[in-house]
């Protein structure tokens, strides 16, 4: 689903790095070529990407929970099939991204450990509850819509495995956004109760969606490096504005009202201006005090525990096959 631009100060590179290697590395980036896992890279570039890609992977996997909760309660077989496919897509996104992070030389188990211990973050949006079916529509429309806005530029990220994963992911996010908007359109054109349900979902999810783009540029600590390395092509505030400009006319088309009395079109610039974001809420949710943080991590821990026997069985089977192959080889040679 999404990698949130989080405000964590990067530690400085630990040793002096060879100026010639650094110049070659930056040259590849400036030419818009890709850095591949076998290439030399500065320690800070590796650290930044491991953190960003793994947080993105965690967000995909945790993001399955709020929507997965509605698979058994989808209002029709068609809706259930689409939602199942979407949630499975998110699992796939997590897998591509964990695999991309692993090319940086970090073990997947270590990344899982960071998520479960709370050391690694995931997008704050997934700590809000899905109270009605309309929330499934609004998540597709707004949350996947925000993800697309953030992720399209990542298709041109300087790190090859991440950029290539994003191309495929963006195609699927586009389907997610459309199915969400279609749910919202059906509800908005339905009975007064259905329309009220759609409005209530928009009221609850609008502000958290805007927080998905991360802290304001003024408070963002490490975008200069990310920009120079062509990991980040647009600032948090630029992406947030693009999202608002694209989404507000869609909400008006649905006949819904945004929960922001300050939202208005600035005729001169053509942009929608919007009210102040509650950054205290953002920090609280990110720090673990959102409505569902504990539940999300407890569920993830349970999946980890429930799956332990499968991992052990696969490892034991692989060890048995290796042992069989080792004893069979001398006989074959005779
Ligand atoms: Fe996704
Ligand atoms: Fe998605």
């Amino acid at each position: 689903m999404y990698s949130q631009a989080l405000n964590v100060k990067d530690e400085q590179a630990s040793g002096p790095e060879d100026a010639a290697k650094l110049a070659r590395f930056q040259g590849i980036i400036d030419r818009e070529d890709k850095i591949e896992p076998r290439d030399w890279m500065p320690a800070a570039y590796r650290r930044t990407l491991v953190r960003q890609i793994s947080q993105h992977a965690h967000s995909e996997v945790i993001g399955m929970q709020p929507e997965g909760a509605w698979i058994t309660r989808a209002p029709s077989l068609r809706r259930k099939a689409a939602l199942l496919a979407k949630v499975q897509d998110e699992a796939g996104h997590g897998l591509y991204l964990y695999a991309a992070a692993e090319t940086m030389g970090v073990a997947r188990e270590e990344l899982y450990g960071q998520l479960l211990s709370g050391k690694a973050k995931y997008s704050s949006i997934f700590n809000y509850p899905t109270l009605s079916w309309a929330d499934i529509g609004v998540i597709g429309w707004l949350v996947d819509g925000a993800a697309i806005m953030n992720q399209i530029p990542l298709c041109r990220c300087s790190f090859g495995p991440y950029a290539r994963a994003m191309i495929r992911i963006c195609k699927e996010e586009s389907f997610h956004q459309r199915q969400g908007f279609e749910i919202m359109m059906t509800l908005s054109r339905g009975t007064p109760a259905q329309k009220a349900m759609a409005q209530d979902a928009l009221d609850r999810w609008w502000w958290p969606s805007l927080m998905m783009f991360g802290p304001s540029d003024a408070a963002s600590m490490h975008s200069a490096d990310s920009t120079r390395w062509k990991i980040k092509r647009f600032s948090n505030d630029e992406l947030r504005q693009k999202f608002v400009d694209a989404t507000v006319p869609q909400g008006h088309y649905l006949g819904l009202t945004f929960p922001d009395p300050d939202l208005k079109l600035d005729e001169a610039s053509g942009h929608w201006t919007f009210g102040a974001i509650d950054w205290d809420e953002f920090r609280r949710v990110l720090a673990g005090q959102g409505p569902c943080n504990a539940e999300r991590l407890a569920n993830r821990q349970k999946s980890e525990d429930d799956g332990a026997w499968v991992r052990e069985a696969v490892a034991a089977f692989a060890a048995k096959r290796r042992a069989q192959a080792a004893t069979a080889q001398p006989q074959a040679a005779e």
Side-chain angles (χ1 to χ4, degrees), residues 192-232:
Q194 286 173 313
K195 189 166 180 190
M197 201 195 274
Q199 181 62 56
D200 170 62
L202 175 59
D203 290 346
R204 284 181 290 108
W205 288 87
W206 175 244
W207 289 107
S209 300
L210 296 191
M211 293 174 197
M212 284 178 67
F213 295 91
S216 68
D217 295 350
S220 197
M221 279 180 185
H222 55 144
S223 50
D225 280 346
S226 288
T227 303
R228 180 162 43 88
W229 291 330
K230 296 191 181 168
I231 297 171
K232 198 166 175 60

Side-chain angles (χ1 to χ4, degrees), residues 66-104:
E67 292 183 284
W70 279 88
I71 290 173
T72 56
R73 295 177 284 170
S76 69
L77 183 59
R78 176 173 167 265
R79 294 295 188 200
K80 189 193 286 266
L83 183 57
L84 258 176
K86 179 187 193 288
V87 173
Q88 284 178 337
D89 284 352
E90 306 301 3
H93 298 173
L95 292 179
Y96 307 153
L97 290 165
Y98 283 124
E102 282 181 305
T103 69
M104 292 287 208

Side-chain angles (χ1 to χ4, degrees), residues 32 98 161 182 195 305 308:
E32 297 282 336
Y98 283 124
E182 205 248 329
K195 189 166 180 190
D305 296 343

Side-chain angles (χ1 to χ4, degrees), residues 65-66 130 132 152 162 166 189 228 289 327 329 332:
Q65 292 187 35
T130 41
S132 80
I152 292 282
Y162 193 27
M166 290 320 307
R189 292 177 179 175
R228 180 162 43 88
Q289 290 143 32
T327 52
Q329 268 168 4

Side-chain angles (χ1 to χ4, degrees), residues 1 60 90 93 169 173 176:
M1 186 103 28
E60 300 282 355
E90 306 301 3
H93 298 173
I169 289 173
E173 299 298 7
H176 298 169

